[in-house]
Amino acid sequence: MLEHIITSNIMRHVEGQRMLMDAQHGFRKQRSCETQLIVTIQDLAKAIDDKSQSDVILLDFSKAFDKVPHTRLMSKLHHYGIRGSLHSWIADFLRDRTQTVILENGKSDPAPVLSGVPQGMSLIVETAKYLGVNIHNKLNWNHHINQVTRKANNTRAFLQRNIYQCPKKTKELCYKTLVRPQMEFASVIWDPHTATHIHNLEMVQRRAARFVTGDFHRTSSVTTMLQQLQWPTLQERRSADRAIMMFRIVRGLVAIPTSYLIPTGTTLRGHNKRLLIPYARSDTYKYSFFPATIRLWNSLPTCVIECSSINTFRNELHNVLFQ
């Protein structure tokens, strides 16, 4: 709790002094991995659609948090106006820290920690991992979805081996906590439109439904199990997440420029907050976040669009998409 209070006050000072660029999204209010990815992928998709070149440089500082020199960190904090008792508190927090390695029954002697603070990107021939998402140079999501489904299936299989005798509610909670989030992280960016990708993702949930209900009979209906569990399809959940993100953008709740959004003006059909769907020459751009989500946004009823809060919008959206 104390660390959270200190962090909040430091960030308030940093934001107030405008020390950070608007393009920096990490660990900031109204900015997240998702907002950074939306803007980045949107620009890349538009470049592909325009058949123009995009050069991307991704830097990964190996063990960056582990190698922060304490003395240099304190000097920088002082330079940026974090001084006095707060500066002394942070120095005390970092000073005289030790680390110990424990292996089976053995334990090493404590060693001083002279750098690092208490707290990834891999390249494959055409793909780079950026903020947890595997980005292909043609924005093909095959590799990312394959990785996501493989990891989620492995986690589900681990649960199936180890907690198969647990109550249904426990198994359902484990699925929703440990498996489903793996398939939904930043999915507003890579939400697939091909039948194969959609099917592969849904199959993970369908296997999980058999595990949770304990029904592995070949003649049993998984669709009925999903209805009994009241689990929406993953595709429906991704659509809801995209609509919620669009609501946040339209209402200025996240730091994504509204320049991506062009009102259509008066219309005889639909609500009066309809947006112009960007023209797309390629499927890459057509199914990227803004063109795809604007189509969804324009199709929503007025009672959903005009909700006054994000919670109300989420509830009304649920009634529209999941009923």
Side-chain angles (χ1 to χ4, degrees):
M1 175 61 81
L2 180 58
E3 288 86 348
H4 177 73
I5 294 172
I6 296 295
T7 301
S8 298
N9 279 275
I10 290 176
M11 288 306 299
R12 191 177 300 115
H13 168 76
V14 169
E15 296 281 2
Q17 297 299 315
R18 300 189 63 82
M19 297 178 186
L20 303 177
M21 299 175 60
D22 288 339
Q24 182 172 333
H25 282 243
F27 307 103
R28 299 182 66 187
K29 185 179 180 181
Q30 297 187 335
R31 292 168 169 86
S32 65
C33 290
E34 278 193 326
T35 59
Q36 170 65 26
L37 284 164
I38 286 173
V39 174
T40 301
I41 299 301
Q42 193 65 35
D43 291 345
L44 294 176
K46 187 64 170 69
I48 290 175
D49 200 58
D50 293 339
K51 297 183 178 180
S52 60
Q53 178 176 326
S54 293
D55 297 322
V56 179
I57 300 175
L58 300 177
L59 301 179
D60 180 22
F61 295 96
S62 176
K63 299 185 180 298
F65 284 98
D66 296 336
K67 295 182 178 179
V68 175
H70 292 172
T71 302
R72 190 176 302 171
L73 172 62
M74 299 312 300
S75 176
K76 280 187 172 290
L77 289 175
H78 186 274
H79 173 76
Y80 286 114
I82 298 173
R83 301 167 185 170
S85 57
L86 178 56
H87 190 274
S88 299
W89 185 91
I90 296 173
D92 288 339
F93 181 75
L94 296 173
R95 187 181 297 119
D96 298 329
R97 301 184 74 92
T98 60
Q99 60 185 6
T100 301
V101 176
I102 299 176
L103 180 60
E104 295 180 349
N105 295 325
K107 181 178 179 181
S108 70
D109 293 331
V113 178
L114 304 178
S115 66
V117 292
Q119 38 189 88
M121 178 185 73
S122 61
L123 298 179
I124 304 178
V125 184
E126 300 174 330
T127 302
K129 192 169 186 179
Y130 178 59
L131 299 179
V133 176
N134 298 285
I135 302 176
H136 187 270
N137 62 0
K138 299 295 184 183
L139 293 187
N140 179 315
W141 299 111
N142 287 340
H143 178 69
H144 180 74
I145 292 174
N146 288 341
Q147 292 289 96
V148 165
T149 54
R150 181 186 61 80
K151 186 176 180 181
N153 270 321
N154 288 343
T155 304
R156 189 266 314 158
F158 173 83
L159 294 174
Q160 192 166 311
R161 290 192 303 270
N162 290 277
I163 64 168
Y164 65 94
Q165 292 183 330
C166 288
K168 175 181 172 181
K169 284 294 183 182
T170 301
K171 292 188 287 187
E172 182 176 16
L173 179 61
C174 287
Y175 165 69
K176 291 182 176 180
T177 304
L178 302 174
V179 180
R180 194 166 66 184
Q182 296 179 358
M183 297 186 288
E184 295 187 330
F185 175 74
S187 63
V188 298
I189 292 95
W190 53 264
D191 184 12
H193 66 277
T194 64
T196 299
H197 286 157
I198 293 170
H199 171 77
N200 290 344
L201 289 163
E202 296 296 342
M203 284 304 296
V204 180
Q205 175 156 281
R206 293 176 73 84
R207 293 188 187 101
R210 286 191 178 277
F211 155 63
V212 170
T213 59
D215 188 346
F216 295 94
H217 295 292
R218 295 182 61 182
T219 57
S220 298
S221 170
V222 179
T223 301
T224 301
M225 297 178 201
L226 292 169
Q227 292 171 347
Q228 291 172 346
L229 290 167
Q230 296 184 322
W231 290 358
T233 66
L234 297 177
Q235 185 178 20
E236 289 172 334
R237 287 177 57 84
R238 290 192 298 271
S239 294
D241 287 343
R242 287 195 290 109
I244 291 168
M245 178 58 76
M246 181 61 77
F247 181 87
R248 290 190 171 114
I249 296 170
V250 170
R251 297 302 178 90
L253 301 177
V254 292
I256 293 180
T258 55
S259 57
Y260 290 102
L261 310 178
I262 303 175
T264 59
T266 57
T267 178
L268 297 178
R269 298 180 59 188
H271 55 79
N272 60 6
K273 291 184 173 59
R274 289 168 60 88
L275 301 169
L276 185 67
I277 301 173
Y279 172 72
R281 303 176 185 86
S282 63
D283 283 351
T284 299
Y285 187 53
K286 179 181 179 180
Y287 293 104
S288 63
F289 176 78
F290 280 105
T293 308
I294 287 173
R295 288 193 292 273
L296 172 60
W297 176 264
N298 289 348
S299 71
L300 295 176
T302 302
C303 63
V304 177
I305 294 297
E306 293 184 347
C307 287
S308 58
S309 70
I310 189 68
N311 289 332
T312 306
F313 178 83
R314 184 181 286 109
N315 292 334
E316 292 294 330
L317 184 68
H318 185 278
N319 293 333
V320 170
L321 296 182
F322 299 157
Q323 298 301 324

